[in-house]
Amino acid sequence: MKIQFVLLSKFLPLPSQQSLHCTFCKLSHFSNQSAFSGEMAEPLRPDIQIKVHSRRGLGGGSVIHPVEIESSPTPLLRGTTVTAGNQSQTPSPFREIKHFKKWLPWLIPCFVIADTVLFIITMYVNDCPKNSVSCVATFLKRLSFQPFKENPLLGPSSSALEKMGALDVSRVVDGHQGWRLITCIWLHGGLLHLLANMLSLLVIGIRLEQEFGFIHIGLLYVISGFGGSLLSALFLQSNISVGASGAVFGLLGAMLSELITNWTIYANKMAALVTLVIIIVINLAVGILPHVDNFAHLGGFSSGFLLGFVFLMRPQFGWVSQRYAAPSAYSRSGAKPKYKTYQRVLWILSLILVVAGMIAGLVSLLRGVDLNDHCSWCHYMSCVPTSRWSCNTDPVTCMSEQTGNQFTLTCSNSNKNSTYLLTNPNSSQLRSLCSQLCR
């Protein structure tokens, strides 16, 4: 799930209120690994039985038989014999079936390394001792964190994130900086934010990359992150946004669509489906908390769900068994298709929906459309106000008055004011003080 925190308020005339996406790290994941083995009890046994041991189901070691048992004589491999006693026998071609290749995961760890390096660079650019009156962990010197009141996640200021490529709708629309829709998913608003997202990415992403390869998972991750940024920009236009949570939610959505499109390979199908849906609902439910960008969650999840039908489709077992059988074993009944009809239909529909949706969303964003104007209740999907918190995310500004070395800041939203003794403060220091005053 993605959590959005407003870290830094706006100081006239520079808009810089920040929204962060933070995914809880304890996300349950169904292993996508499946081992397939076929055996014959006797070399000349007339029936062939293929056993599929799937760790995907909740039952762990449950056995399913998705391939029909053939009644025809066992096919023999020409030119291959074994000796048993005084007789020569031909071994079964179904000795072992391993259809799904085991990929070595390297792309997801590279994503984690890249995000970590970019966070360090962001902290270097932030330079808290120079641009803020006080810092946290000053022993880190230039890499020290902004004050807790300004950034409770142990991270940089929003102005530093803007310099690094955070999603700012005004810059995308008016400044033609559409690249921010991609760069924002590689940035994080704090050390805690980074740890939560990266742990979630490792738990989910490595398993998926092991099964489907780096190309499919890499494309799914980046496109889902773009979809999350796009929907967030269409609804939340007064905040800046960073975080990989939209992309991580895309992987979670792809797990659900993979379960649906490859339904026939699962043992305990309903148990696996219900458990995965509960995990997704709990993660999305966190989005009703204040400063949580649930639109990025929903955009990333929806994109990943549709892309899962496109990138994570598996061949059916009947086609798998043919690849290991002699031609005489299935020539009488005809070759089985590689994919079922419903898999092909879902593939086509999902591809059309994801392409059309992203084109329509991007065109609407570049035209300056605010979807809140067309949906008066949609803001409740991102925050539900209660007596304990407010969902107000209006930009925070401060008025400044100077008398010698005394600077009096007045928060525009709450009219709170405070006086500080400063010697030639720069704009970054004043913005930092304004953020702490208005929180």
Side-chain angles (χ1 to χ4, degrees):
M1 61 210 82
K2 276 190 175 179
I3 300 180
Q4 181 185 54
F5 298 90
V6 176
L7 298 185
L8 182 58
S9 309
K10 292 187 176 179
F11 180 79
L12 290 178
L14 300 176
S16 59
Q17 186 178 18
Q18 158 178 313
S19 302
L20 304 180
H21 310 290
C22 178
T23 306
F24 278 102
C25 57
K26 295 184 179 178
L27 297 179
S28 300
H29 172 67
F30 296 97
S31 170
N32 288 332
Q33 300 174 354
S34 302
F36 297 85
S37 62
E39 298 180 354
M40 288 182 54
E42 300 292 339
L44 298 178
R45 183 176 175 178
D47 291 339
I48 299 174
Q49 187 178 67
I50 299 178
K51 297 182 179 180
V52 180
H53 302 273
S54 177
R55 285 180 283 170
R56 186 61 178 259
L58 298 179
S62 52
V63 178
I64 58 175
H65 305 276
V67 182
E68 296 181 359
I69 298 176
E70 304 287 348
S71 59
S72 58
T74 302
L76 304 179
L77 293 178
R78 292 187 292 270
T80 304
T81 60
V82 296
T83 303
N86 296 327
Q87 298 180 348
S88 295
Q89 300 174 345
T90 304
S92 167
F94 293 95
R95 184 66 60 187
E96 186 174 7
I97 293 180
K98 293 182 179 178
H99 173 63
F100 298 138
K101 181 179 179 179
K102 188 79 168 181
W103 298 83
L104 177 65
W106 61 269
L107 184 63
I108 294 298
C110 286
F111 285 169
V112 174
I113 294 173
D115 286 352
T116 304
V117 171
L118 283 173
F119 178 74
I120 296 174
I121 295 175
T122 303
M123 294 305 304
Y124 183 84
V125 171
N126 181 66
D127 195 2
C128 181
K130 178 181 179 181
N131 298 312
S132 183
V133 176
S134 61
C135 301
V136 177
T138 54
F139 63 89
L140 294 175
K141 297 183 179 180
R142 185 162 181 161
L143 300 180
S144 57
F145 308 116
Q146 293 298 116
F148 280 113
K149 285 187 176 182
E150 182 180 351
N151 188 340
L153 297 178
L154 297 177
S157 65
S158 58
S159 59
L161 291 171
E162 283 182 313
K163 293 178 183 178
M164 293 297 296
L167 176 58
D168 186 339
V169 176
S170 62
R171 297 190 181 212
V172 173
V173 177
D174 301 327
H176 306 289
Q177 299 178 4
W179 46 268
R180 290 179 178 271
L181 292 166
I182 296 294
T183 56
C184 68
I185 69 177
W186 306 97
L187 302 174
H188 290 83
L191 181 61
L192 300 180
H193 185 210
L194 176 70
L195 291 176
N197 275 343
M198 293 304 98
L199 183 56
S200 300
L201 177 59
L202 288 172
V203 170
I204 299 174
I206 284 184
R207 297 297 185 92
L208 288 175
E209 187 181 350
Q210 283 177 333
E211 294 182 42
F212 298 99
F214 69 94
I215 296 179
H216 289 178
I217 301 306
L219 289 174
L220 197 155
Y221 181 87
V222 174
I223 299 174
S224 297
F226 175 80
S229 299
L230 186 59
L231 189 64
S232 174
L234 288 169
F235 278 99
L236 301 176
Q237 301 192 350
S238 61
N239 302 326
I240 71 168
S241 175
V242 294
S245 302
V248 175
F249 254 79
L251 298 181
L252 194 60
M255 289 174 59
L256 179 60
S257 57
E258 194 274 331
L259 171 61
I260 295 173
T261 193
N262 303 315
W263 185 254
T264 57
I265 76 172
Y266 283 88
N268 301 324
K269 298 177 175 63
M270 290 307 300
L273 177 62
V274 170
T275 303
L276 184 55
V277 168
I278 291 175
I279 294 171
I280 294 170
V281 169
I282 292 175
N283 280 271
L284 291 175
V286 176
I288 67 174
L289 297 175
H291 309 305
V292 176
D293 185 5
N294 219 24
F295 293 114
H297 296 176
L298 294 171
F301 177 82
S302 300
S303 302
F305 179 75
L306 293 174
L307 292 171
F309 291 115
V310 178
F311 291 132
L312 308 186
M313 185 168 61
R314 298 185 191 272
Q316 61 164 306
F317 282 114
W319 179 84
V320 174
S321 64
Q322 288 173 179
R323 300 188 64 187
Y324 292 87
S328 59
Y330 56 89
S331 59
R332 289 188 296 272
S333 59
K336 295 182 181 296
K338 185 174 182 179
Y339 299 107
K340 293 182 178 296
T341 302
Y342 78 89
Q343 290 177 307
R344 297 179 185 275
V345 171
L346 289 174
W347 190 93
I348 295 173
L349 291 178
S350 298
L351 185 61
I352 293 174
L353 288 174
V354 74
V355 172
M358 288 192 174
I359 291 176
L362 188 58
V363 170
S364 299
L365 176 62
L366 296 179
R367 288 183 176 180
V369 174
D370 186 349
L371 290 185
N372 291 292
D373 298 335
H374 305 278
C375 181
S376 60
W377 56 268
C378 286
H379 63 278
Y380 291 114
M381 291 192 297
S382 185
C383 182
V384 177
T386 67
S387 58
R388 292 175 175 255
W389 62 70
S390 172
C391 293
N392 184 17
T393 59
D394 293 336
V396 178
T397 58
C398 291
M399 300 298 295
S400 174
E401 295 182 3
Q402 180 180 2
T403 304
N405 290 336
Q406 290 186 346
F407 285 79
T408 301
L409 300 181
T410 303
C411 184
S412 301
N413 290 22
S414 61
N415 291 324
K416 291 173 58 178
N417 62 79
S418 182
T419 301
Y420 306 91
L421 289 176
L422 303 172
T423 303
N424 298 325
N426 55 37
S427 59
S428 297
Q429 292 175 328
L430 293 177
R431 283 198 300 268
S432 176
L433 291 173
C434 177
S435 174
Q436 298 177 50
L437 175 65
C438 297
R439 285 188 59 86

